[in-house]
């Protein structure tokens, strides 16, 4: 027969799943000799069996009775004894802490008789009836399902009758009357209040058991993905009541063994003299900081200092505990691992290791890698209580305050004259990037965590909130609104990219630097991890930052980001719109020195470390305005021209400068560098029209149905060889010049969107011939590694062949995930992925968490065949997953050589890589099963 | 030492690679005892060695000399003998026939001396000098590289001098003078004409060798992908000259052992008395049909009938042969397998098998499956010689003549009143489908073989020409142009979807039915193949046709085609634009009876055979107008409204009915069913604007960046469960009703775009509950198979898990190919795929030919894991590859259960499946190698 009930002395701390977290803590403290009021635990198994059969398991009632007797024996008090009754608290407690389940029932064991005994034995009638009325309400509400409001309402009537406002002002008589009224409420609700104390306990236990399957608890478990493997059923903790409200020699409090906000090694907490836990919650009195105990109750403080040491030495972890002092006697009511913020976690990890309480490995595993990023950005001061104006999706952490601007041009203009601005847009596009450079933060009303704005902002380490749907824009482009609140250009706002909150005005922030403790923790991580960590960086500034953050190279340098700079975009557009190869080459000649200089600066910044340059990837139309935009303009022009043609002259009532439609044309005119005076010259309009129409035609010709699967990457390179030729030559010449300057550089060249070895061979041939040419020109030998992105599914199936040419692979898991799922990232995240997650069709967003069973399998296949051809094939990942801890763990498992992630994720990745190493052989992802 | 030269008696027919096709044929005929003029072959190896070293291989000259002597011995004539000279023809001949290489040199061995001997020995001076001048020009041109024009020019001068027009009118003197002039031409070109006949032969051989590496030949080999495995080097055939122009007892001719146009078992060919092959080509005289020999030269005819039997009995294949009669003596100059058209191939295959010359298996292998399709459609009569107006891409075979219409609505309108129309558009969209139903043929100016127009037309078996770029459209939508030719609505045109030709007016056609021979061949194929063949069919009409063509079921019934019918699209749009689930359900209720009836009709048509219904797949926005279209309309409306607002009144100069811009609004007004009279009422415009703006907003909300990877397939089903519920219920009720009517039906339900088992489980749960409901309602048990499309890469990696729920898999290789390559089909085919093929980056279009190394590997993986879970898992393919012979071969290799293809490909697939079975173990695709 199963054992369903354990005395606190009996339970084993390791059996958390059986005893619940709270119960296990009570058992452990009891065994450690800490003063825990006697009691026992009814196991989670009993809960499960109850819910299966819908009745108490046989023998459980008897087992509970025996355990009550054991407690009675210890205390010399009996449950239901009319003179000196034993009282219990009854609490739920699952394996992990879970709000949404049953509240505590206190003072169980009181009835019409025992309350009198309590009054006598405590010498305090008011206390006894106060305890009774609390119990009647809690029990009535929790065990008998009567709404709290019913009790509150009669209680308020009695207070009115006695002319008091606060509960504490009620005398014994009033409370006695409350008890009678509460019993009346129960009768009216057809609920019988059991005078039999055993029956009270039985109903309380059943209420706890049922609460496990209650809607709130079930929803909570679904929401936080708490599976039966993590927690299954709740235990019931039955513990002797102790009272912190028995006078000024009693108190109640909560404490941490170290400061959970800073990690400082001091006792931290609050207490309240002559009170119960409830009172603290009710906010009637303000608790005092625990430091004040030193003066007020020094003996207790001494005892707590002892407890603190005992707990930490035993649990080797910061503890969060509850205690009560009843008539000068300290009782421990709960202990559990303390929840610390990021800074405190890092500091205590280092300190605990330094103090010898834990090993360095344990210290590393204590720090969740995601926490590290929080420490690199400003955050809203914890003390700030102002309400946000609205909330969007937190897309790139950090807090930024600045003046609102609605266009990238305006961001640049104001940025240049030293103003701090926040770029606020419906969504952003590649051509807005010059605005990003100047903006402190980004806010958009559309898009998800992987929208353009989000990705670029993360790459640049700028605070960013996206998908803020409450935000709408007036058509004049100068006003945004949230409900009735207007936001004008120049208004100050604050965006918090860690929470998604958007505030009007400035809010106080705190700076989270690369603390000494964090540096230490990361250096420990570096000494343990075997997986390399590189950064994705496109500019010399990024490269310098990456190195500062500990990157061991650049795994992805995107050359298209360079194309988007404001002064280059017009040249890039000329190149795209060129009618002939000659014209295209002409434009490329202008880009060449810029590109070469970029490469030179980045290679220089990363001296001694590898830099992987990826050839142009995105489809060319990404650099052009949209067809919709252009055709609207053209149609407006036509309409206006028609108006001019139809009328003898422009009617006087049309005032050019004030007319919103005419103003559009004025903008167009400016675009053509033409004078306004000529506005009535219809031939001019024809000229404008012609130019616009040519542009539209090209945009249409380049337009694609599915740009993600379109004319991009190496396909572009093969169609317009002059583009790749320019880029490769720029890298070779930059390298040759640095080599001649004596720099130790390690350039690598990578081809995007490869699906067949023939493509690689084609680029490799081009590289070889340019290399020979440049080496001859400079008289310097350029060592350059040649590799392939693996981001097309077919590349995975052809990896063995690709490795004949490629010296390294770099997984582009963003695109690979899209192709594997046939999910367009932008479309999926805005259209159906949230629903998929909600309905558990998919447990994660595969664009955030690497999909092991699908994408992972393809990666595994690629590595297997690739290394079969070339055993020393270097393999990395440069998709966003490269900065995601769980995915990094899988990359380590797959024996990748390195991960490459955005600059601000580098410290996260360093720690995650160490975790992966430490978890070797204990990976908890299901993989090999098909 | 290599043997470079073979007498005709020595060569082995199987050594075609060494001897060339022509040489092998001559050897074989010699061995068979047929009268072949003596001669020898210089091997392809000699050619390769020559081209490697750039000089004749050592010993070759001597070997040739010995072989000349052998011929001389046989004939008692000597090369270069001044009295009775031996003359040779010298021809190239690679392993396969290859235009673009050297022409024949005839009469080699003539010089200033031997020509005189020939004159005497033949008793015909004119003949001798005619032969000499021909040789001088051929040799001069081919061996000495002097342009033909040089000779033609002096030749014409001589004709002028002698006052004759035709060569045949020239006398011996004139021809003698021509010989002198030709030698002068050569001297002027600094070329020495060798009087040494051995030197002549040496130079001729070298000319042949060199022609193998000539530009024309190299281009030809590249174009037709003739690799060294197929043909490497050319042989040189040196054959004794025989003359068909030695008088009226001489003749020359070509013949087939059977009619290559019909397959009829009769000698077929042409001959010309007293002439050489050249003359036939020059078209000076018209050759006679060979049947006339019966009267004119019955002895020769008898001999040829004998030759015909001998050749066919020996080669067991229809032969195409050349012959010459010199003074009543028949000589065979060439034989090879005859090129037959589709009808003749099918007929002769059946006949040869019936005659016992070949086995049925051999008969099947003789017919290229692609040929079968040619037999199912009308084609332009071979005798028709009219010129096409223009040419596009042949997209769906067949010839259609009809009146031009420019919109689907017009096609429907005219179609309904019995007119036969051709739908002519820039490109087509799903909403044009009602026009397809009524059109006889489709012509578009844009798109490739897999554009919407092409795919739908093939599915419906309608003639279709796409990508006809010369075709442009006037903006009024009522006129198209090709160059200066205007095509008006109602004009008659003819489109030939087998050739891509477009004709003005009607052209004569011939009907190619399902001939008796074809039926026989296909029935033999059915008895051999093990791979099932089903059809993709969406309507009852298609289903009936499919059955007629021998489909063993429907492998893909696309429910969205049903949504596009003209009377349903408005309801579908209402459903999409619905604001609430209730409104959506309301619209679905209207669709339900139509959908149910469709299913009922299709299931009925396919009684006894399985019908696989696929749930809705395409994204909803495919059923709506485009955002660009709508926003243009809105902007125009705004512009016009602004005009109205600005003016006191609409200026008189604006005449509403004639103004092209106003007419657009009038169209919009009609769209709103509003009266024109109200045009000045700006409030009305506001109302229109509002409605349009709501529509635009929804279109924008539904718009996707990459629709191919968007909100479609089962993702839609999970987001809007009511859609799939309607469809499943319709299928279940249709089935239940038929079952109650006693029909033996086999419905199957298939889920599109599956990427995880959870999706399948979700739909399966829905199916189970609806099934229980419908079965209870009808009191009938519905047996229905449940399966998954495998068209998402992740489905391949999760196949083992999917097979736990799915009873069958159906590969959607169109989408799977897109995802595997990251190629959007529309974009790839118009942007870079042609270049990729041209540069040999990819050898095929993977959307036409299944990509074995990438997509095939994923299929293999899916089948392996799927059958591991469920050994009896049924596996099919329903992508377009299912109708492609090479891909069918691979499907057979992968042990698929069936292929499903468009209705008109069913006979092709039946034959291809038989080929696959017959080629088992001899598959020539590289697969297992990574």
């Amino acid at each position: 027969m199963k054992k369903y009930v354990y005395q606190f002395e009996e339970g084993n701390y390791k059996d958390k799943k059986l005893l619940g977290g709270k119960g296990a803590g009570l058992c452990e403290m009891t065994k450690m000799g800490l003063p825990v009021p006697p009691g026992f635990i009814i196991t989670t198994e009993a809960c499960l069996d109850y819910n299966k059969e819908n009745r108490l398991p046989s023998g459980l009632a008897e087992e509970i009775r025996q355990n009550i007797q054991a407690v009675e024996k210890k205390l010399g008090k009996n449950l239901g004894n009319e003179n000196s009754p034993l009282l219990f608290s009854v609490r739920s407690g699952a394996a992990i802490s879970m709000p949404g389940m049953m509240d505590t029932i206190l003072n169980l064991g009181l009835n019409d008789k025992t309350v009198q005994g309590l009054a006598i034995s405590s010498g305090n009638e008011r206390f006894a009836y106060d305890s009774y009325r609390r119990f009647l309400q809690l029990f009535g509400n929790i065990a008998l399902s009567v709404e709290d409001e019913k009790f509150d309402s009669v209680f308020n009537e009695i207070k009115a009758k006695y002319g008091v406002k606060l509960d504490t002002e009620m005398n014994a008589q009033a409370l006695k009357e409350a008890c009678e009224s509460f019993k009346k409420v129960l009768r009216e609700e057809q609920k019988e209040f059991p005078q039999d104390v055993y029956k009270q306990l039985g109903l309380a236990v059943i209420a706890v058991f049922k609460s496990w399957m209650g809607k709130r608890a079930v929803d909570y478990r679904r929401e936080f993905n708490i599976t039966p493997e993590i927690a299954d059923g709740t235990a019931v903790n039955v513990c002797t009541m102790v009272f912190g409200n028995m006078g000024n020699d009693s108190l109640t409090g909560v404490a941490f063994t170290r400061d959970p906000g800073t990690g400082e090694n001091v006792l931290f907490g609050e207490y309240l003299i002559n009170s119960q836990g409830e009172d603290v919650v009710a906010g009637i009195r303000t608790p005092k900081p625990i430091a004040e105990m030193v003066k007020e109750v020094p003996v207790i403080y001494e005892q707590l200092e002892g407890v603190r040491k005992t707990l930490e030495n035993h649990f080797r972890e910061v503890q969060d505990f509850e205690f009560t002092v009843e008539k000068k006697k300290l009782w421990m009511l709960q202990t559990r691992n303390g929840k610390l913020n990021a800074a405190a976690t890092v500091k205590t990890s280092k300190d605990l290791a330094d103090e010898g309480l834990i090993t360095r490995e344990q210290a590393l595993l204590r720090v969740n890698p995601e926490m590290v990023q929080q420490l690199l950005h400003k955050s809203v001061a914890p003390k700030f209580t102002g309400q946000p104006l609205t909330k969007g999706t937190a897309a790139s952490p950090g807090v930024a305050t600045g003046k609102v601007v609605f266009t990238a041009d305006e961001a640049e203009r104001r940025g240049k004259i030293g103003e701090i601005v926040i770029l606020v847009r419906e969504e952003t596009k590649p051509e807005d990037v010059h605005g990003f450079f100047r903006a402190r933060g980004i806010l958009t009303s559309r898009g998800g965590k992987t929208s353009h704005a989000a990705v670029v902002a993360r790459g640049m380490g700028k605070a960013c909130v996206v998908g803020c749907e409450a935000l709408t824009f007036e058509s004049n482009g100068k006003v945004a609104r949230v409900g009735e609140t207007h936001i004008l250009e120049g208004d100050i706002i604050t965006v918090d990219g860690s929470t998604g909150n958007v505030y009007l005005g400035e809010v106080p922030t705190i700076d989270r630097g690369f603390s000494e403790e964090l540096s230490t923790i990361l250096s420990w991580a570096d000494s343990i991890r075997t997986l390399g960590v590189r950064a994705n960086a496109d500019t010399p500034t990024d490269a310098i930052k990456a190195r500062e953050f500990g990157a061991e190279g650049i795994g992805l340098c995107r050359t298209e980001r360079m194309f988007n700079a404001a002064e280059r975009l017009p040249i890039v557009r000329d190149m795209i719109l060129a009618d002939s190869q000659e014209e295209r080459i002409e434009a490329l000649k202008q880009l060449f020195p810029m590109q070469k200089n970029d490469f030179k600066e980045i290679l220089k910044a990363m001296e001694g470390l590898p830099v992987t340059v990826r050839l142009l990837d995105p489809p060319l139309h990404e650099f052009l305005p949209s067809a919709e935009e252009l055709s609207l303009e053209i149609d407006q022009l036509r309409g206006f021209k028609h108006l001019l043609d139809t009328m003898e002259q422009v009617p006087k009532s049309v005032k050019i400068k004030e007319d919103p439609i005419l103003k559009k044309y004025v903008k167009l005119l400016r675009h053509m560098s033409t004078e306004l005076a000529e506005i009535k010259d219809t031939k001019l309009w024809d000229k404008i029209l012609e130019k616009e129409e040519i542009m539209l035609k090209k945009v249409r010709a380049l337009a694609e149905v599915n740009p993600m699967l379109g004319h991009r990457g190496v396909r572009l390179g093969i169609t317009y060889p002059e583009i790749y030729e320019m880029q490769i030559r720029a890298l070779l010449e930059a390298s040759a010049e640095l080599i001649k300057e004596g720099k130790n550089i390690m350039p690598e060249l990578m081809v995007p969107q490869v699906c067949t070895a023939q493509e690689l061979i084609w680029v490799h041939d081009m590289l070889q011939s340019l290399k020979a040419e440049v080496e001859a020109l400079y008289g310097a030998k350029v060592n350059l590694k040649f590799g392939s992105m693996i981001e097309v599914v077919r590349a995975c199936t052809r990896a063995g062949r690709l490795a004949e040419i490629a010296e390294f692979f770099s997984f582009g898991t963003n695109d690979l995930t899209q192709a594997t799922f046939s999910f367009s990232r932008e479309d999926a995240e805005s259209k159906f992925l949230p629903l998929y997650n909600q309905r558990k069709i998919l447990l994660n967003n595969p664009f955030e968490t690497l999909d092991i069973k699908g994408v992972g399998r393809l990666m595994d296949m690629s590595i297997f065949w690739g290394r079969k051809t070339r055993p020393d094939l270097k393999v990395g990942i440069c998709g966003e997953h490269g900065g995601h801890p769980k995915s990094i763990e899988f990359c380590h498992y797959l024996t990748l050589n390195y991960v490459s992630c955005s600059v601000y994720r580098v410290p996260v990745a360093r720690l995650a890589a160490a975790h992966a190493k430490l978890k070797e052989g204990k990976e908890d992802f299901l993989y090999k099963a098909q």
Side-chain angles (χ1 to χ4, degrees), chain A residues 112 134 178 185 451 520 538 545 646 673 712 730 791 801 846 849 880:
Chain A
D112 292 350
R134 285 174 197 257
V185 165
S451 62
T520 305
D538 311 327
K545 193 88 192 160
T646 310
S673 321
R712 53 181 299 210
E791 57 188 333
R801 176 85 176 95
T849 308
E880 281 199 64

Side-chain angles (χ1 to χ4, degrees), chain A residues 814-920:
Chain A
N814 294 359
D815 280 6
L816 191 56
T817 300
Q818 297 197 74
T820 303
F821 279 85
S822 284
F823 286 176
S824 164
R825 196 164 72 177
E826 287 117 316
D827 301 324
E829 289 184 342
S830 68
K831 296 261 160 41
F832 58 85
L833 209 45
L835 185 80
Y836 260 48
N837 290 151
Q838 192 187 317
R839 298 222 171 134
K840 304 280 164 209
I841 304 280
L842 290 173
L843 294 181
N844 297 302
N845 176 346
F847 300 112
E848 289 176 356
T849 308
L850 188 73
D851 165 53
I852 287 171
K853 294 176 184 173
V855 177
R857 178 173 291 270
L858 294 173
M859 291 170 71
D860 194 8
M861 183 202 267
S862 312
I863 297 169
F864 175 81
W865 288 105
R867 292 230 175 102
K868 196 161 183 182
T869 299
R870 187 188 289 265
D872 65 345
L873 183 79
K874 213 171 48 167
V875 183
I877 179 175
C878 63
E880 281 199 64
H881 302 101
H884 180 264
K886 197 79 203 158
S887 311
I888 291 170
E889 191 183 335
F890 184 64
C891 289
H892 176 84
Y893 173 80
L894 284 186
T895 71
L896 261 68
N897 299 79
Y898 65 88
V899 296
S900 186
C901 55
S902 66
V903 174
Y904 282 82
R905 300 292 291 180
V906 166
V908 176
R910 288 163 68 192
L911 182 55
H915 278 208
K917 178 72 188 172
L918 292 171
K919 287 183 192 166
E920 248 177 30

Side-chain angles (χ1 to χ4, degrees), chain A residues 489-503:
Chain A
E489 191 161 271
D491 284 358
I492 303 274
I493 62 166
T494 298
V495 293
D496 182 348
S498 311
T499 61
N501 285 335
V502 178
Y503 302 88

